[in-house]
């Protein structure tokens, strides 16, 4: 699956990751990679399905929380998304992407100060993370009155 992913043949990558799961339904990386691919192609319902399968077959070893949170968020389930990303951060606190996803969810929910903290945490882990840099900068440029106005609108 990874070989196909690296050359951009995503449909073959999906098929091979699915075959991997058929061989070993507890394989955490196959689920993680499938969830990533489904999110990448905005097939969020499939992401949610594969994450649920990961949890069912490998309750403690799966590593799909970040993708699960992102899909929940994109499906409009902000509370579920925050719950999932918290688990992801607990499981992998040194993964900058976890913190970025949490920041994006919070920013979209109008929780700008909390979002800024998450982006800053991501930048401490990976100072070159483009999404964290861009969002952190945007949030730093907002004045207190602008943040208050935006939060009142939400």
């Amino acid at each position: 699956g990874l070989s196909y992913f690296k050359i951009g043949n995503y449909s073959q990558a999906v098929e091979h990751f699915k075959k991997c799961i058929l061989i070993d339904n507890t394989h955490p990386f196959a689920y993680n990679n499938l969830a990533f691919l489904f999110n990448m192609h905005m097939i969020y319902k499939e992401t949610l399905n594969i994450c649920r399968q990961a949890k069912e077959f490998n309750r403690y070893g799966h590593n799909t929380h970040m993708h699960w949170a992102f899909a929940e968020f994109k499906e409009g389930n902000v509370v579920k998304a925050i719950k999932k990303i918290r688990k992801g951060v607990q499981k992998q606190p040194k993964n900058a992407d976890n913190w970025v996803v949490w920041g994006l969810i919070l920013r979209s929910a109008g929780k700008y100060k909390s979002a800024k903290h998450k982006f800053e945490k991501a930048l401490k882990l990976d100072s070159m993370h483009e999404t964290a840099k861009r969002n952190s900068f945007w949030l730093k440029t907002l004045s207190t009155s602008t943040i208050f106005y935006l939060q009142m609108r939400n």
Side-chain angles (χ1 to χ4, degrees):
L2 283 176
S3 297
Y4 286 112
F5 178 81
K6 288 178 183 178
I7 62 170
N9 190 339
Y10 302 124
S11 61
Q12 283 296 310
V14 166
E15 291 309 310
H16 280 77
F17 288 131
K18 285 181 177 181
K19 286 179 185 178
C20 180
I21 290 170
L22 287 174
I23 294 167
D24 177 4
N25 67 357
T26 64
H27 198 290
F29 298 112
Y31 289 107
N32 186 60
N33 290 325
L34 274 171
F36 175 81
L37 282 166
F38 290 140
N39 271 347
M40 186 172 98
H41 293 289
M42 296 181 276
I43 311 171
Y44 304 118
K45 297 252 187 259
E46 284 298 316
T47 302
L48 296 173
N49 288 334
I50 206 67
C51 291
R52 286 184 195 103
Q53 285 179 357
K55 182 179 178 183
E56 179 182 343
F57 293 114
N58 194 352
R59 184 164 193 80
Y60 302 104
H62 79 94
N63 57 348
T64 60
H65 293 97
M66 177 179 56
H67 304 304
W68 199 337
F70 188 78
E72 290 286 9
F73 165 66
K74 294 305 262 183
E75 288 289 306
N77 304 319
V78 175
V79 173
K80 286 183 180 179
I82 291 172
K83 182 179 174 184
K84 290 297 175 190
I85 199 60
R86 272 193 185 123
K87 286 184 182 178
V89 166
Q90 287 173 350
K91 199 165 188 175
Q92 295 177 316
K94 294 185 180 184
N95 180 339
D97 290 331
N98 275 330
W99 293 98
V100 168
V101 167
W102 199 350
L104 291 171
I105 294 166
L106 291 169
R107 191 193 81 187
S108 296
K111 308 287 186 198
Y112 301 108
K113 288 181 183 178
S114 296
K116 183 175 169 248
H117 169 74
K118 304 307 182 215
F119 293 125
E120 288 170 353
K121 179 71 174 173
L123 287 170
K124 286 180 184 174
L125 296 167
D126 178 1
S127 63
M128 301 306 289
H129 198 293
E130 285 301 317
T131 304
K133 286 188 338 188
R134 186 173 47 254
N135 282 279
S136 180
F137 177 77
W138 182 78
L139 289 168
K140 284 179 184 175
T141 61
L142 295 178
S143 68
T144 303
S145 59
T146 304
I147 290 172
F148 178 75
Y149 170 75
L150 290 171
Q151 288 176 332
M152 295 305 292
R153 266 189 19 189
N154 289 333

